[in-house]
């Protein structure tokens, strides 16, 4: 099956004797004892099983584990590491996960944050106890592109496991397992959910090895699992994911070009632009450049806030990946971070009519 067909049929597992076309929501917390049945919904649920099945298929993986948030999914990976492990992560790692490592896992996991767009830096960061390389590409919010294949090859030479946060790309535009990663992670809150109305996370593995068994133990025993209701709607949302991603990317490409040519815009971060530092790598490992972009205006942080306030079709809110366009000055959310200009604006481009979005941006920028 091709991607679009997998998205529609891959998670539609119907066992109801009435033979409904769409799998119903199974809200029961427990199941009657019988051979081959599920036991308890913290351990397994029909809707969660469907979600995990379709996402494993989309990522060409062996198995998947759904969680109640993207942070919970990443947390399961960190908890599965042996005590005293060292890991390597990108210097611009998503701030929620970076904060998790620096607070909850402080003095439990040693972490070095390096620029993974420069694979040559990886060798110097590896220690005897390095167990994990965490890649995030495209990154948040600078849309930096890391070479998954090159980094994975270097890590494997040292027996280091590789996880790739592929949230910005979605399974439609990037499959890290085929490029050498052992695990791929998504915040399913974002493009997989696609409608800004639920929170979730997912891990997909290439192999069902001992490390994966540890992650599944964390999922089952710690219990940070999504509800049947949320997994049902995620599985439903996936049916339109390939076509939504194409629309997001088409709109984002046009907006990136428009902003790149505007006199009030200093720089645009979008891997689809040929001038982007990671364009060639993105072109080689992605099937589309996605719907996320960031840009820096020639004014200051206050000017960026004023610009956002003048927009009509872009909602000033955090998160991303919904059908509606969202925009925010990133430093207002994650604080001032070295290397990220305070006036940097991050945009999640929705699937509204592109002419409306461009007219809105033009009128807002025209007031400066």
């Amino acid at each position: 099956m091709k991607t679009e067909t997998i998205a529609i049929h891959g998670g539609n597992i119907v066992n109801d004797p009435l033979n409904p076309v769409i799998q119903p929501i199974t809200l029961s917390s427990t199941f009657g004892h019988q051979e081959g049945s599920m036991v308890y919904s913290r351990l397994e649920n029909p809707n969660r099983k469907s979600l995990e099945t379709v996402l494993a298929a989309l990522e060409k993986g062996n198995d998947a584990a759904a969680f109640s948030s993207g942070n919970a999914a990443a947390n399961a990976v960190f908890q599965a590491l042996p005590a005293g492990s060292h890991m390597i992560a990108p210097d611009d790692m998503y701030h929620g996960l970076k904060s998790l490592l620096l607070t909850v896992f402080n003095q439990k996991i040693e972490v070095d944050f390096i620029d993974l767009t420069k694979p040559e830096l990886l060798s110097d960061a590896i220690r005897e106890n390095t167990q994990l390389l965490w890649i995030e590409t495209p990154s948040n919010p600078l849309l930096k592109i890391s070479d998954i294949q090159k980094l994975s090859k270097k890590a494997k030479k040292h027996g280091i496991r590789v996880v790739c946060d592929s949230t910005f790309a979605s399974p439609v535009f990037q499959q890290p397992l085929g490029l050498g990663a052992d695990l791929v992670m998504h915040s399913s809150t974002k493009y997989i959910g696609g409608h800004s109305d639920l929170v979730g996370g997912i891990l997909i593995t290439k192999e069902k090895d001992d490390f994966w068994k540890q992650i599944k133990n964390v999922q089952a025993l710690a219990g940070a699992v999504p509800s049947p209701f949320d997994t049902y709607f995620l599985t439903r949302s996936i049916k339109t994911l390939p076509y939504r991603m194409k629309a997001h990317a088409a709109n984002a490409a046009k907006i990136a070009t428009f902003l790149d040519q505007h006199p009030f815009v200093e720089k645009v971060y979008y891997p689809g632009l040929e001038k982007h530092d990671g364009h060639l790598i993105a072109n080689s490992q992605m099937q589309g450049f996605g719907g996320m972009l960031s840009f820096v205006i020639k004014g200051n942080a206050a000017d960026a806030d004023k610009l956002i306030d003048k927009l009509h079709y872009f909602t000033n809110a955090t998160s991303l990946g919904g059908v509606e366009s969202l925009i925010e000055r990133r430093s207002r959310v994650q604080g001032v971070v070295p290397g990220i200009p305070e006036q940097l604006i991050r945009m999640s481009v929705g699937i509204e009519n592109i002419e409306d979005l461009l007219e809105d941006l033009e009128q807002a920028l025209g007031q400066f």
Side-chain angles (χ1 to χ4, degrees):
M1 286 190 291
K2 302 294 189 294
T3 298
E4 295 84 356
T5 309
I6 293 171
I8 291 171
H9 295 284
N12 199 38
I13 303 171
V14 177
N15 296 315
D16 193 306
L18 294 176
N19 199 30
V21 173
I22 299 298
Q23 181 186 31
I25 304 176
T26 302
L27 294 174
S28 181
S29 62
T30 190
F31 301 86
H33 293 306
Q34 57 180 328
E35 187 176 351
S37 74
M38 295 182 179
V39 177
Y40 188 57
S41 267
R42 170 167 52 79
L43 306 175
E44 198 172 17
N45 172 275
N47 298 110
R48 190 165 90 227
K49 184 65 177 175
S50 292
L51 174 65
E52 293 170 345
T53 298
V54 68
L55 283 170
L58 286 171
E59 287 285 4
K60 299 177 175 61
N62 210 307
D63 197 13
F67 294 84
S68 55
S69 70
N71 269 39
N75 184 75
V77 176
F78 304 150
Q79 285 187 306
L81 290 171
S85 291
H86 170 255
M87 64 175 282
I88 299 167
D91 56 357
D92 62 336
M93 186 181 201
Y94 164 59
H95 82 105
L97 294 185
K98 193 170 187 177
S99 296
L100 177 66
L101 286 168
L102 294 176
T103 55
V104 175
F105 289 94
N106 183 33
Q107 299 183 342
K108 298 180 179 71
I109 298 175
E110 300 175 71
V111 190
D112 278 324
F113 298 97
I114 67 172
D115 184 357
L116 289 178
T117 65
K118 299 176 181 177
E120 64 273 13
L121 299 179
L122 182 60
S123 298
D124 291 337
I126 293 173
R127 307 180 193 174
E128 287 187 8
N129 61 334
T130 303
Q131 296 284 332
L132 184 73
L133 169 63
W134 187 278
I135 302 171
E136 180 183 328
T137 184
S139 72
N140 181 6
L142 293 177
L143 282 297
K144 290 165 71 173
I145 302 296
S146 297
D147 191 325
I148 301 170
Q149 191 168 45
K150 186 173 288 187
L151 289 167
S152 295
K153 281 183 179 179
K154 284 179 173 286
K156 294 302 172 57
K157 287 180 181 178
H158 298 270
I160 299 169
R161 197 172 305 275
V162 178
V163 182
C164 181
D165 181 345
S166 193
T167 297
F168 271 24
S170 89
V172 176
F173 287 155
Q174 187 170 266
Q175 296 85 43
L177 301 183
L179 296 167
D182 298 290
L183 294 165
V184 58
M185 173 257 177
H186 294 277
S187 169
S188 48
T189 310
K190 312 304 193 296
Y191 286 110
I192 290 170
H195 295 80
S196 303
D197 54 6
L198 52 81
V199 176
I202 191 84
L203 293 169
I204 302 100
T205 186
K206 183 185 293 185
E207 302 292 343
K208 293 182 181 179
D209 54 15
D210 289 340
F211 190 73
W212 182 249
K213 290 176 184 176
Q214 285 286 87
I215 288 172
K216 293 291 280 187
N217 281 339
V218 174
Q219 181 198 37
L221 301 176
V225 294
S227 71
F229 191 84
D230 284 352
T231 52
Y232 168 86
F233 275 102
L234 281 168
T235 306
R236 187 188 71 163
S237 292
I238 288 171
K239 294 177 187 294
T240 61
L241 178 62
Y243 294 98
R244 284 190 284 109
M245 291 309 299
K246 291 171 187 176
H248 284 296
N251 279 359
K254 291 177 180 177
I255 288 176
T257 300
F258 166 79
L259 292 171
D260 189 52
Q261 296 171 351
H262 199 282
F264 189 59
V265 176
E266 184 175 297
K267 186 171 183 178
V268 179
Y269 301 84
Y270 184 67
L273 294 174
E274 290 187 5
K275 63 172 65 176
H276 187 281
D277 290 341
H279 174 73
L280 292 178
I281 296 171
N283 196 44
S284 69
Q285 70 185 19
M286 300 178 73
Q287 292 76 54
F289 299 112
M292 294 299 300
L293 62 88
S294 294
F295 64 100
V296 177
I297 61 169
K298 291 182 178 177
N300 54 31
D303 292 323
D305 290 336
K306 290 176 185 176
L307 171 62
I308 291 170
D309 288 341
K310 293 180 185 299
L311 292 165
H312 303 301
Y313 300 135
F314 295 81
T315 302
N316 185 4
T318 198
S319 198
L320 58 104
V323 293
E324 69 290 322
S325 293
L326 300 179
I327 196 167
E328 67 179 359
R329 183 169 64 82
R330 191 60 188 161
S331 293
R332 289 185 68 176
V333 177
Q334 66 181 53
V336 178
V337 177
I340 299 177
E342 284 192 63
Q343 73 271 34
L344 180 136
I345 296 171
R346 192 189 74 177
M347 181 186 294
S348 173
V349 181
I351 61 173
E352 299 95 340
N353 185 282
I354 187 59
E355 292 181 12
D356 289 333
L357 296 179
L358 289 173
E359 287 176 8
D360 194 20
L361 284 167
E362 192 165 21
Q363 65 81 23
L365 286 164
Q367 297 184 50
F368 286 87

